[in-house]
Amino acid sequence: MTSVSAYYGVNPDDAGIEVMPEWSGTAVTPVTADTAFNGFVCTNVVFAFERLGVFARFAEAGSLDVQEFCAQDGIDEPVFRALVAAAESFGHVTVAADRVLPTEHGDEVRRQLGFFTWAVGGYHDVFAAAAPIATGKRAFGTDVLRDEAMVALGSAQADTALMRHILDAEIAQVDFTVLADLGSGTCERLSRLVKDRPGARGIGLDISSSATELAERTVAGYGLRDRVEPVCADVRQVIAGELKPEGAAEVDAVMSFMFLHDLLADPATRSRVIPDLREAFPNARTFLLADTTIRPREAGERTLPMFSSGFELAHALMGVPLHTRQGYEQLFLDAGLTIRRTVPFGAPHTYLFVLEA
């Protein structure tokens, strides 16, 4: 069986890299059976509300009328009333004369909606297959898959609600003329940042052809066809020097979000990823790299934060090693980068590393 330190991608012999301790019981308040069961149901109700547009209606109008809402959107009214009743029992909404209003807790759920989309929409099948994955009867990537669209949507929701303002504050301090985004998705983030910087240009790299097609429309919507170029390419090949995107030598700033653990997954090439990244963009002076790290197991910790346990379990089931904050920082230092700032980045144990060559 893989050891804890081996799974989490750390080597006890690597100086400066924090090693996860072996688990010896739990330091947090136990999740009781009723909380666990009700929490499972609740996450599915939250996701159903997201898919049905309930949270969007709350954001737009502050409330909704059940009959009107169902009639307008062709929703089965008895089923929707059951969802509302469940949400009311969880304390997320109140109902008065057929009008549904979010509570304070409901508003907080809406703010954190990206985590629910990510977990229920994106990783439901992966979590459900944990036992057959553990026995080897099924495997992620073959007969167990995540929903890539829901993972992307959840990430975008979290970015908008929790991370965007932090990135904007950091990028405002960076002097760049050509910005590359690795794993750029639909290029929305790249387009927004380039549009706010007169004269700047952008290159968005993403392996997904469908995402690149959407990126073309996003760029056009921003009126940036002459300044932002979406490129369908495997970032791993770019970093390894097997593929050289046009304009890479002009890039003076590189950013990548929630992608580092995938790039570092292979232990045989892990130590070369950051140096190779620098070689792939030889004139880049600034790197803004963000990722979620392993949650430190701290004495006296009483509650679990949002997201961490799901992120760690999902990647264990996928066989993708994770890293500590200290492990990331050591990798950057070993590659000759200077760490200007390590900034908490919205989600628990998630950091934006601002680095300079």
Side-chain angles (χ1 to χ4, degrees):
M1 181 176 180
T2 302
S3 70
V4 173
S5 59
Y7 162 67
Y8 281 107
V10 291
N11 183 339
D13 297 324
D14 289 341
I17 296 182
E18 176 183 296
V19 177
M20 283 292 300
E22 295 288 341
W23 284 295
S24 56
T26 178
V28 300
T29 302
V31 177
T32 59
D34 59 338
T35 301
F37 183 86
N38 289 327
F40 171 77
V41 177
C42 183
T43 58
N44 284 276
V45 171
V46 169
F47 183 63
F49 270 18
E50 191 280 332
R51 292 284 80 197
L52 293 171
V54 172
F55 291 110
R57 179 65 64 89
F58 286 163
E60 175 187 328
S63 65
L64 64 82
D65 178 271
V66 172
Q67 286 188 327
E68 176 187 302
F69 183 76
C70 291
Q72 285 180 347
D73 296 326
I75 296 170
D76 186 303
E77 189 173 320
V79 171
F80 184 69
R81 287 186 182 278
L83 288 169
V84 169
E88 186 177 29
S89 70
F90 297 134
H92 291 170
V93 301
T94 58
V95 184
D98 234 23
R99 183 154 293 277
V100 184
L101 301 91
T103 64
E104 181 181 346
H105 294 293
D107 284 335
E108 177 61 17
V109 165
R110 177 160 59 90
R111 194 177 77 88
Q112 309 246 24
L113 191 57
F115 297 130
F116 293 87
T117 303
W118 177 90
V120 183
Y123 282 94
H124 175 275
D125 290 349
V126 178
F127 290 136
I133 288 174
T135 60
K137 294 179 180 178
R138 301 181 69 185
F140 178 79
T142 54
D143 55 353
V144 178
L145 302 173
R146 61 185 175 182
D147 187 319
E148 298 284 359
M150 288 294 101
V151 171
L153 176 60
S155 298
Q157 290 170 336
D159 174 61
T160 299
L162 305 173
M163 301 172 180
R164 176 173 293 185
H165 66 288
I166 302 172
L167 174 60
D168 287 353
E170 293 300 325
I171 203 81
Q173 304 177 57
V174 177
D175 183 21
F176 70 86
T177 55
V178 182
L179 177 63
D181 189 0
L182 311 184
S184 55
T186 64
C187 274
E188 196 283 331
R189 176 178 53 237
L190 179 62
S191 297
R192 181 174 60 83
L193 295 176
V194 168
K195 189 174 182 66
D196 290 342
R197 189 69 60 99
R201 294 182 292 119
I203 301 173
L205 303 172
D206 199 284
I207 195 172
S208 169
S209 57
S210 59
T212 305
E213 290 174 6
L214 289 173
E216 297 280 1
R217 296 201 286 271
T218 300
V219 170
Y222 272 91
L224 294 173
R225 280 179 170 166
D226 60 332
R227 293 172 56 195
V228 175
E229 182 183 6
V231 177
C232 186
D234 187 337
V235 172
R236 294 176 181 82
Q237 289 185 311
V238 173
I239 292 176
E242 300 167 3
L243 182 65
K244 296 185 182 299
E246 186 176 350
E250 300 175 71
V251 170
D252 51 9
V254 175
M255 63 182 183
S256 182
F257 299 90
M258 313 311 165
F259 191 29
L260 272 179
H261 55 276
D262 289 312
L263 296 176
L264 298 169
D266 185 352
T269 60
R270 185 174 298 148
S271 64
R272 286 297 313 163
V273 168
I274 305 302
D276 286 349
L277 173 61
R278 294 188 61 186
E279 289 183 17
F281 300 97
N283 292 310
R285 305 302 302 169
T286 304
F287 296 82
L288 298 104
L289 308 178
D291 209 351
T292 299
T293 65
I294 298 167
R295 176 179 65 88
R297 272 55 171 179
E298 298 173 349
E301 184 180 36
R302 302 306 301 160
T303 59
L304 282 171
M306 191 82 166
F307 187 52
S308 293
S309 60
F311 184 80
E312 292 180 9
L313 177 58
H315 286 81
L317 295 172
M318 292 188 291
V320 177
L322 299 179
H323 307 270
T324 64
R325 168 183 167 174
Q326 291 82 357
Y328 273 132
E329 291 177 336
Q330 191 63 50
L331 282 171
F332 302 143
L333 293 172
D334 289 345
L337 293 173
T338 299
I339 302 171
R340 291 302 180 197
R341 289 176 297 283
T342 298
V343 184
F345 200 46
H349 305 296
T350 300
Y351 298 95
L352 174 63
F353 301 96
V354 183
L355 314 162
E356 290 186 9

